DNA sequence: CCCGGGCTCTTACGGTGTAAGGGAAGAGGC
DNA sequence: GCCTCTTCCCTTACACCGTAAGAGCCCGGG
């Protein structure tokens, strides 16, 4: 236990010639600051490393202080997710101009959400996974503003109710599927995954109590197709496929737009 | 703390006229049993309730004993996920007959994975979210057996390497997106979500330090489109849309099959 | 000057993952 | 019979977690 970590001198913990003086060193800690720090922290250290005390230390504050701005850790996570997606709402490259067609609208949102996923690869699984606040909200467009904006944007461009809802669902599923699989394969806790997969056929006595401790310790000779295609399977850049799939989705939405009423 | 719970008499804890005698009361605890119990526990109580000690109690065992069969909690979760998906591999309704066409193959796997998602709604997010053991494995088909089976199954039916890989990625993303969004909207911790959304406009003083404590407390008057379409948006049964989208995916895969070499 | 209210810190409690070793129950040899 | 060895499970212990309750500091208004 090390509770007396750095709490001796309140005004000056780090740096010999620091810029103290009259200005207080720490920005005054608001809900926005807490949320932003949480997002930064998860981006840097991963979701599993986020605890209230550690986030407090990250903000040079005592952990319990965060509860002034956040009801609980769960609510913190929800708010972080909402914040990340709502930043997207204010993005000028995503915002819809009055003359834009509906397909441009979809393309803009798609690339915006894609950018969010790749900017916050550790956080994006939560965007897809956390329970939405209302039953008619579906990931990844998780706020009322987004749902309203999406639906009314399409309705104003000639979509029927049914077609707009169809597009809402198809679009959300498309984004979640594509981006989550991208992110799960790529921006994960570094090294561990590949290292674990590479320690193949470590000599283990077969009468060990563990039946097959982790499936990856079989050697790859039993899987010739994987072995042969390993290079092509490991491709990281899926941008082209994303764009292709997006265009296919848009034509599908277009067909629904004309078919539904 | 109650450590002396029921450890006094080893052979007989519950029931006055129980069926004891020579047979020991508890099945002897194997890795399979631990995994199966973990899956059951998560299905019943949700992922957040799973702890090593509670799972131990569920198995009438002391918590630490689980570490004989599982390296850590993380590995337990991975193994549970793998097990759920590998059960699918043994499912006779999913297995491919020699005369089946490739599109039947895809339909069988899709409905199988869909059934898994709806059978284990609390666990399925992990299937989509956990980091795969190798960089060329992508959710939800997370085992080497599955990847090998999928690819070789398509290759044996005339797919080129590129077309098979394309199908592998498109199919995985499709399943993850559709099923994850279904599951996130439906089989969640019961009641809490809707209740939270319904406590609208609880009178809160506007100068509270919380900026907007949770976004759902605004009333819906500002969102007319959502209000008007709420009924249609809340639809739970997305089976038809799943099937339609699956057929669309199959035609897209077919086009790729013919186009790629 | 005091003082009151908003932030932050302190303390505390039960729960969590897991490292390390102890002890009982059965298997096998003599 | 006994003795030993292996296998399995339990006990203890530690650092850390989320969070409830209240104490203390600091700053602005009178």
């Amino acid at each position: 236990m090390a509770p007396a970590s750095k709490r001796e001198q309140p005004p000056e913990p780090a740096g010999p010639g620091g810029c103290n003086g009259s200005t207080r060193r720490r920005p005054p800690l608001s809900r926005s600051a807490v949320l932003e720090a949480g997002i930064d922290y998860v981006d840097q250290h991963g979701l599993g490393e986020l605890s209230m005390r550690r986030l407090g230390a990250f903000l040079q504050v005592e952990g319990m202080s965060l509860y002034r701005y956040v009801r609980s850790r769960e609510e913190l996570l929800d708010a972080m997710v909402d914040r990340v997606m709502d930043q997207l709402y204010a993005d000028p490259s995503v915002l819809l101009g009055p003359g834009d067609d509906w397909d441009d609208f979809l393309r803009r949102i798609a690339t915006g959400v894609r950018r969010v996923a790749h900017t916050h690869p550790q956080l994006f699984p939560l965007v897809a996974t956390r329970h939405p606040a209302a039953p008619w909200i579906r990931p990844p467009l998780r706020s009322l503003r987004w749902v309203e904006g999406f639906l009314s944007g399409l309705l104003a461009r000639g979509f029927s109710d049914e077609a707009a809802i169809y597009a809402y669902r198809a679009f959300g599923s498309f984004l979640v599927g594509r981006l989550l699989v991208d992110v799960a394969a790529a921006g994960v806790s570094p090294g561990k995954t590949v290292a674990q997969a590479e320690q193949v056929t470590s000599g283990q006595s077969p009468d060990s109590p563990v039946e097959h401790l982790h499936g990856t310790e079989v050697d790859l000779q039993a899987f010739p197709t994987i072995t042969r295609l390993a290079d092509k399977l490991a491709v990281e850049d899926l941008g082209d496929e994303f764009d292709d799939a997006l265009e296919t989705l848009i034509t599908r939405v277009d067909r629904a737009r004309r078919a539904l009423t």
Side-chain angles (χ1 to χ4, degrees), chain A:
Chain A
M1 55 192 69
S5 60
K6 60 173 74 71
R7 196 46 49 199
E8 295 100 14
Q9 60 277 56
E12 231 289 12
C19 57
N20 60 359
S22 67
T23 92
R24 61 224 189 288
R25 189 182 76 276
R26 175 167 56 64
L29 198 58
S30 65
R31 181 171 164 102
S32 296
V34 171
L35 265 42
E36 218 64 50
I39 294 167
D40 285 0
Y41 194 92
V42 169
D43 285 342
Q44 292 176 30
H45 305 96
L47 196 59
E49 302 297 306
L50 180 70
S51 79
M52 299 302 275
R53 291 193 240 253
R54 287 213 268 252
L55 181 56
F58 189 67
L59 284 162
Q60 303 175 9
V61 137
E62 212 51 32
M64 282 304 293
S65 307
L66 305 180
Y67 286 93
R68 283 279 136 178
Y69 306 97
V70 143
R71 261 204 219 314
S72 67
R73 189 188 126 105
E74 291 295 286
E75 202 234 357
L76 168 65
L77 294 179
D78 281 337
M80 285 163 54
V81 166
D82 288 354
R83 188 174 187 83
V84 160
M85 293 311 288
D86 269 11
Q87 284 170 349
L88 217 170
Y89 197 87
D91 188 327
S93 80
V94 171
L95 235 49
L96 186 60
D100 289 345
D101 282 340
W102 63 266
D103 51 327
D104 282 326
F105 185 38
L106 294 191
R107 270 183 277 263
R108 293 181 125 147
I109 299 178
T111 61
V113 175
R114 186 169 135 90
R115 189 172 53 245
V116 167
H118 284 86
T119 308
H120 308 288
Q122 311 265 2
L123 197 56
F124 191 76
L126 287 190
V127 175
T129 281
R130 294 237 120 204
H131 310 142
W136 17 265
I137 293 182
R138 288 163 194 282
L141 264 32
R142 299 174 48 95
S143 72
L144 292 174
R145 285 203 306 174
W146 261 118
V147 181
E148 179 74 22
F150 187 95
L151 292 174
S152 62
L154 293 188
L155 291 175
R157 283 163 184 81
F159 277 61
S160 69
D161 290 355
E162 284 73 16
I165 292 176
Y166 176 87
Y168 174 55
R169 295 213 188 102
F171 197 64
S173 297
F174 165 77
L175 290 177
V176 167
R178 280 291 178 182
L179 299 179
L180 203 58
V181 172
D182 276 21
V183 155
V188 301
S189 56
K192 172 196 135 192
T193 295
V194 179
Q196 191 184 11
E198 278 176 354
Q199 56 161 339
V200 170
T201 58
S202 66
Q204 194 180 37
S205 63
D207 56 345
S208 160
V210 291
E211 285 159 14
H212 64 295
L213 201 49
H214 39 303
T216 65
E217 79 181 8
V218 300
D219 59 330
L220 289 180
Q221 295 182 3
F223 304 99
T225 310
I226 294 177
T227 309
R228 192 165 59 80
L229 299 181
D231 294 351
K232 292 175 185 165
L233 282 170
V235 170
E236 291 280 331
D237 174 30
L238 265 32
D240 293 350
E241 265 185 33
F242 181 84
D243 293 338
D244 289 356
L246 175 60
E247 294 308 317
T248 308
L249 177 81
I250 286 178
T251 63
R252 186 148 66 92
V253 167
D254 188 35
R255 205 172 335 126
R257 181 179 66 89
R258 283 194 285 250
L260 295 178
T261 314

